[in-house]
Amino acid sequence: MKTPLTINELYTALKNKEYSLVELLDAYFARINANHDLNAFITITDDYAYQKAREMQEVINNNPNAFGEFPLLGVPLAMKDLYLTKGIRTTAASRVLENYVPAYSSTVFERLEAAGAILVGKTNCDAWAHGSSGENSDFGVTRNPWNKDYVPGGSSSGSAVAVAANMALISPGSDTCGSIRLPSNYCGVTGLKPTYGAVSRYGVVAMASSLDTMGHITHSVEDSEKVFAITSGPEGKDSTLIDRKYQKLTGENKYKVGIPKEFVEQGISDEVKSSIDSFANWLTDNGHSVVEVSLPNTKYAISVYYIIQPAEVSSNLGRYDGIRYGNDRSTFGMEAKRRIMLGTFVLSSGYYDAYYNKAMKVRTVLIEEVNKVFEDVDVLLAPVAPTPPFKLGEKAADPLEMYLTDIFAATANLTGIPSLAIPTGFTKNNLPLGIQLMGRKFEENILFSLGKKFQKQTDYHTKTPQS
Ligand code: GLN
């Protein structure tokens, strides 16, 4: 059986009784087993999934309006192992939490389950979401399904791999500085980092709370929008959420798209540059205008990020003292220790003003700069990362080199704007390429509308790796 690529495709097959939900899960678990070497999952929840599948099959058989009432009925779902799932082990890919079974679930998981989605497993990631390559997991590296010698991108590595290799249809990740967009980009799938304040962080292991954004990975933009409509909006548990109902755009609008020259001027590979050029051409061919814009202070974004983020990490990881739950602090890995030390340093007296306070001031300058550019353009087009996927081990020994992978991701997190990563082709070595579209806060709908149009005319998002 061929696994579906979109929710629509799945619904058509289920309505036509081409297969039952149990048969659907058989196909997904067969793929999970066949792709064991990709190491995309930390926990596989097959018993749980089959139980849900039988319940949902009853709904399909007995409720004539089942597909109307459950917008994700039977959708195979993989959750990044940062999302708490009641009664199901949640590790954050760290030995500290290797035996931790939460007593409650994250809002995102609750909402997806309530919509009918079926959890097939918890995905591997860089421990505590610290990383860009999937190599920082205490549960072993995740591999790129397009070429197993390459990294899948991180930190939501397993989520992107699970969707790309058809081991799940949708997978929520978290994006603190690119962790949804980068692995989506490196695995040839679609990834959304929503506006900060759009999707609840309740019940997700916190990395850097002022930057953490809950989003998801799908094959298509159409599905990304469907999932966002379900996960977004307040629930009274995350006080940073803004009460706005998602409004889908209808009709044809023409947009003014800016390419920040600082993102394409230097330091990006030729293949990444040409994917920007061809997307810009697609935009103009479709009646949108494309202009060059300047965001001069974004060159400080990654430096600012690597002060604010460790500061918040050192505070958030303080709760794992081994006394109340989890293993003791000796079980923290190298990268977490590095960030705890960096963060404690930039917050310590004598250094606070020089580092943390200054970084916060530059963050405000960045927010003003981005607000200003959005007075002129509707959308920004930029690369997700400076290069296509790199080889496993290539940057693992050099944390600074690894940190630079996220140089183009930081702006959206520091300023809270949404960004959608879309696959746009392949390198000459058959590794995925893509771009990101950033928009004004709460204008995900414009990004979706452009992305859906692009995917109607191209088929990059329907390509899947051989295996
Ligand atoms: N790669 C970045 C880091 O290591 C971002 C991680 C993330 O977005 N969770 O901090």
Side-chain angles (χ1 to χ4, degrees):
M1 179 190 132
K2 191 184 156 299
T3 51
L5 289 177
T6 62
I7 297 167
N8 243 343
E9 213 178 301
L10 171 66
Y11 272 26
T12 308
L14 289 173
K15 283 178 186 164
N16 293 339
K17 303 205 179 353
E18 284 170 34
Y19 41 73
S20 69
L21 284 183
V22 166
E23 287 164 337
L24 175 76
L25 287 189
D26 288 344
Y28 275 91
F29 285 115
R31 293 209 47 82
I32 290 174
N33 287 331
N35 287 294
H36 191 71
D37 56 342
L38 298 176
N39 202 22
F41 288 89
I42 292 177
T43 303
I44 294 167
T45 53
D46 45 353
D47 290 345
Y48 185 85
Y50 279 110
Q51 175 62 31
K52 288 274 168 202
R54 283 186 286 268
E55 285 167 29
M56 287 293 141
Q57 190 65 52
E58 285 296 301
V59 176
I60 296 179
N61 296 347
N62 299 321
N63 180 347
N65 188 29
F67 294 96
E69 279 172 33
F70 296 91
L72 298 177
L73 189 54
V75 170
L77 161 73
M79 301 294 296
K80 184 178 187 176
D81 210 14
L82 227 54
Y83 284 84
L84 304 195
T85 43
K86 185 177 173 179
I88 295 165
R89 180 171 77 134
T90 300
T91 66
S94 168
R95 289 286 167 216
V96 173
L97 294 179
E98 66 186 329
N99 301 313
Y100 171 59
V101 178
Y104 65 101
S105 286
S106 49
T107 296
V108 168
F109 177 58
E110 275 186 347
R111 288 191 173 179
L112 296 175
E113 220 180 25
I118 299 178
L119 182 73
V120 297
K122 304 291 298 285
T123 56
N124 202 357
C125 56
D126 291 291
W128 309 106
H130 300 166
S132 309
S133 65
E135 294 169 293
N136 282 340
S137 170
D138 290 354
F139 293 78
V141 305
T142 309
R143 292 173 181 273
N144 193 309
W146 293 93
N147 184 330
K148 290 172 190 163
D149 295 333
Y150 284 76
V151 304
S155 66
S156 310
S157 49
S159 290
V161 173
V163 174
N166 295 317
M167 299 186 275
L169 190 51
I170 62 175
S171 186
S174 62
D175 193 311
T176 304
C177 183
S179 277
I180 289 173
R181 289 165 284 160
L182 183 67
S184 299
N185 183 242
Y186 279 8
C187 292
V189 288
T190 298
L192 174 73
K193 176 240 174 267
T195 306
Y196 185 86
V199 178
S200 176
R201 290 177 290 115
Y202 180 76
V204 187
V205 174
M207 178 181 167
S209 308
S210 79
L211 301 154
D212 292 348
T213 320
M214 301 310 135
H216 45 265
I217 297 168
T218 54
H219 286 286
S220 69
V221 175
E222 184 187 306
D223 281 1
S224 191
E225 182 173 39
K226 285 183 181 168
V227 174
F228 183 66
I230 293 165
T231 55
S232 58
E235 89 294 49
K237 291 173 180 163
D238 175 350
S239 60
T240 58
L241 292 180
I242 310 263
D243 194 0
R244 281 216 191 187
K245 193 154 171 45
Y246 177 66
Q247 294 284 345
K248 189 171 168 169
L249 283 183
T250 48
E252 286 274 306
N253 294 305
K254 299 298 171 206
Y255 297 107
K256 187 169 174 189
V257 180
I259 302 180
K261 66 172 196 238
E262 293 78 8
F263 286 54
V264 289
E265 245 167 15
Q266 53 188 348
I268 66 171
S269 81
D270 292 346
E271 286 177 304
V272 170
K273 176 75 174 69
S274 67
S275 59
I276 294 292
D277 293 341
S278 36
F279 198 86
N281 287 338
W282 177 84
L283 286 166
T284 45
D285 288 349
N286 281 275
H288 306 286
S289 61
V290 177
V291 296
E292 183 184 274
V293 294
S294 177
L295 292 168
N297 287 301
T298 52
K299 62 174 175 291
Y300 301 117
I302 199 74
S303 314
V304 167
Y305 171 76
Y306 272 101
I307 292 173
I308 295 173
Q309 170 264 119
E312 295 186 20
V313 163
S314 71
S315 164
N316 274 325
L317 293 186
R319 65 171 67 94
Y320 302 101
D321 52 13
I323 296 170
R324 287 160 293 188
Y325 62 102
N327 295 324
D328 68 57
R329 294 178 76 76
S330 68
T331 47
F332 272 119
M334 275 304 293
E335 187 59 32
K337 286 181 183 163
R338 183 171 11 246
R339 293 183 191 220
I340 293 168
M341 285 192 289
L342 277 172
T344 308
F345 174 74
V346 300
L347 289 173
S348 60
S349 84
Y351 298 98
Y352 182 94
D353 281 334
Y355 292 100
Y356 182 75
N357 221 359
K358 190 152 184 192
M360 288 303 276
K361 286 182 180 158
V362 181
R363 185 178 188 178
T364 303
V365 171
L366 278 173
I367 292 170
E368 287 164 358
E369 195 166 293
V370 163
N371 285 345
K372 184 119 195 63
V373 87
F374 280 125
E375 286 172 13
D376 179 36
V377 298
D378 304 300
V379 173
L380 294 170
L381 164 63
V384 175
T387 66
F390 48 91
K391 281 205 159 128
L392 282 161
E394 197 177 312
K395 299 186 183 178
D398 186 346
L400 285 182
E401 178 72 13
M402 186 73 87
Y403 293 172
L404 287 176
T405 312
D406 299 309
I407 191 158
F408 302 134
T411 300
N413 297 83
L414 288 166
T415 62
I417 60 173
S419 172
L420 181 67
I422 304 172
T424 57
F426 295 88
T427 66
K428 55 182 184 314
N429 298 328
N430 202 37
L431 289 162
L433 285 167
I435 55 98
Q436 62 172 328
L437 296 175
M438 291 173 270
R440 297 182 195 101
K441 283 189 179 182
F442 293 99
E443 289 191 352
E444 281 84 356
N445 51 5
I446 296 183
L447 311 183
F448 288 141
S449 141
L450 283 170
K452 282 189 294 188
K453 189 84 194 286
F454 177 74
Q455 292 189 341
K456 243 185 210 137
Q457 298 176 20
T458 57
D459 63 356
Y460 306 116
H461 63 293
T462 66
K463 304 268 186 247
T464 49
Q466 295 295 320
S467 70

